[in-house]
Amino acid sequence: MNQSQTQTSANLLPRHSAAGVLYRVEHLTAYTYEAPVELAHHLAHLRPRDETTQQCVLHECVVGPAPDHASEGHDVFGNARRLFAFYTPHDTLSVNAISLVRVQAPTPPDFAASPAWGHVRDLLLYRAGKPFVAQAEFSFGSHFSPLFAQATAYAAPSFTPRRPLLEGALDLMHRIHADFTYDPESTEAHTRAPQALELRHGVCQDYAHVMLSALRGVGLAARYVSGYLRSRPPPGEAQLVGADASHAWVEVWCPAHGWVEFDPTNDRQPAADYVRVAVGRDFADVSPLRGVIRGGGEHTLDVAVRVSAVEE
């Protein structure tokens, strides 16, 4: 991609809005068990992050039945997390998280100022006596996004010698979006990047995991982002794929810009219609709700997400 093409792609991105948008986010998770659960421990990532372009104004998480123990804190990635446990039998579980979040569109990065991807790769490499680059921890493989030859080969056409990092990441995003088919029936929550790349079908989680493996395969640092999309777009704008559910996208680290976001599912860079909840190495670090239970047998699960703009 030459400079004129880069500028054209950048100009198509949503423009920065200083005012921001206030959203009400409702995320309801409900389990019904065929037999009583005798003991359970759960971990939730449901509170949106407080960051430069996003502030969580209010957050309430109501768990029913009331847990026997609950605590809140932050994980090693700075995500808010809630732990709760049950020591008494129960046959249902509901977790209703409601948040008010003010979001501003990030300023589009200056693609022309991006260093060559090879320079960034070398910066992240470990060498004895060299200062440690903290972002290097996101250049290694993870459970859902391991390093594997097919992902590295898939990334190669986007990262030709001396190409600016952000140009390469943008091209990789375009290619994944073009090569993959969004198909909720083709994969499951435990599908990993090697299977998703072979299938070329999947959901936002699969698109993100493949892009992570590809970026890390060429030596770059990339993070998984979990969050939400605005449920109903403004008049005249297309509905985004992944609305009304948890969404996933990717960040790549660029020394000139910090973490830069890419959404391969929708083939765009996130703007003020995205709400960020958690970041990590892959889905395993940031799943909205997970746990370990004893008992319960088979269960049914219902999840509902609604993200709506609040008139002020």
Side-chain angles (χ1 to χ4, degrees):
M1 181 182 295
N2 60 37
Q3 183 173 344
S4 63
Q5 290 174 308
T6 302
Q7 293 300 323
T8 299
S9 299
N11 292 338
L12 291 175
L13 300 175
R15 297 192 179 278
H16 176 72
S17 172
V21 182
L22 183 65
Y23 292 109
R24 175 184 170 89
V25 180
E26 299 177 72
H27 187 154
L28 173 62
T29 307
Y31 286 91
T32 301
Y33 305 101
E34 68 171 5
V37 173
E38 302 170 3
L39 176 69
H41 289 267
H42 296 278
L43 169 63
H45 289 102
L46 292 166
R47 186 189 191 280
R49 290 173 62 94
D50 287 309
E51 299 178 321
T52 303
T53 58
Q54 174 178 293
Q55 295 80 43
C56 184
V57 179
L58 177 149
H59 177 74
E60 181 181 28
C61 187
V62 179
V63 179
D68 298 300
H69 170 78
S71 64
E72 296 181 354
H74 290 80
D75 63 18
V76 296
F77 305 115
N79 305 310
R81 68 180 181 184
R82 181 180 177 87
L83 303 165
F84 55 95
F86 297 92
Y87 310 125
T88 52
H90 55 285
D91 55 16
T92 62
L93 171 64
S94 65
V95 181
N96 191 15
I98 300 175
S99 306
L100 285 179
V101 192
R102 189 177 299 280
V103 181
Q104 294 174 299
T107 302
D110 180 359
F111 280 74
S114 171
W117 73 271
H119 169 77
V120 180
R121 174 201 58 200
D122 294 345
L123 190 65
L124 293 166
L125 288 174
Y126 170 79
R127 290 190 180 88
K130 190 186 84 168
F132 173 67
V133 178
Q135 291 80 5
E137 68 174 302
F138 294 100
S139 63
F140 300 102
S142 57
H143 174 72
F144 284 104
S145 293
L147 302 180
F148 61 105
Q150 292 86 344
T152 304
Y154 184 82
S158 296
F159 292 95
T160 52
R162 295 178 295 281
R163 190 176 201 181
L165 184 154
L166 293 184
E167 281 191 20
L170 188 68
D171 183 68
L172 177 63
M173 177 185 73
H174 292 330
R175 291 175 50 228
I176 292 174
H177 180 78
D179 292 346
F180 281 63
T181 299
Y182 189 86
D183 181 2
E185 303 300 322
S186 63
T187 58
E188 300 177 347
H190 61 263
T191 300
R192 302 168 71 229
Q195 291 74 42
L197 181 57
E198 181 179 1
L199 288 171
R200 305 290 175 99
H201 284 244
V203 295
C204 58
Q205 176 177 307
D206 303 303
Y207 284 61
H209 283 151
V210 168
M211 189 166 180
L212 289 173
S213 287
L215 289 167
R216 294 170 182 168
V218 296
L220 299 173
R223 299 195 301 195
Y224 183 99
V225 186
S226 174
Y228 308 108
L229 294 173
R230 181 173 179 158
S231 295
R232 293 186 182 275
E237 294 187 17
Q239 179 82 23
L240 293 176
V241 177
D244 297 322
S246 292
H247 191 54
W249 59 99
V250 170
E251 291 179 316
V252 65
W253 182 68
C254 178
H257 303 86
W259 292 103
V260 181
E261 300 173 278
F262 295 90
D263 179 1
T265 306
N266 288 292
D267 198 25
R268 65 184 292 228
Q269 290 190 266
D273 42 3
Y274 286 64
V275 175
R276 295 160 56 87
V277 174
V279 299
R281 293 164 297 184
D282 59 27
F283 175 73
D285 287 333
V286 301
S287 56
L289 182 65
R290 65 182 179 185
V292 178
I293 66 173
R294 186 172 71 193
E298 296 295 324
H299 69 268
T300 59
L301 169 63
D302 293 301
V303 178
V305 173
R306 178 74 175 173
V307 181
S308 53
V310 177
E311 296 294 336
E312 297 184 83

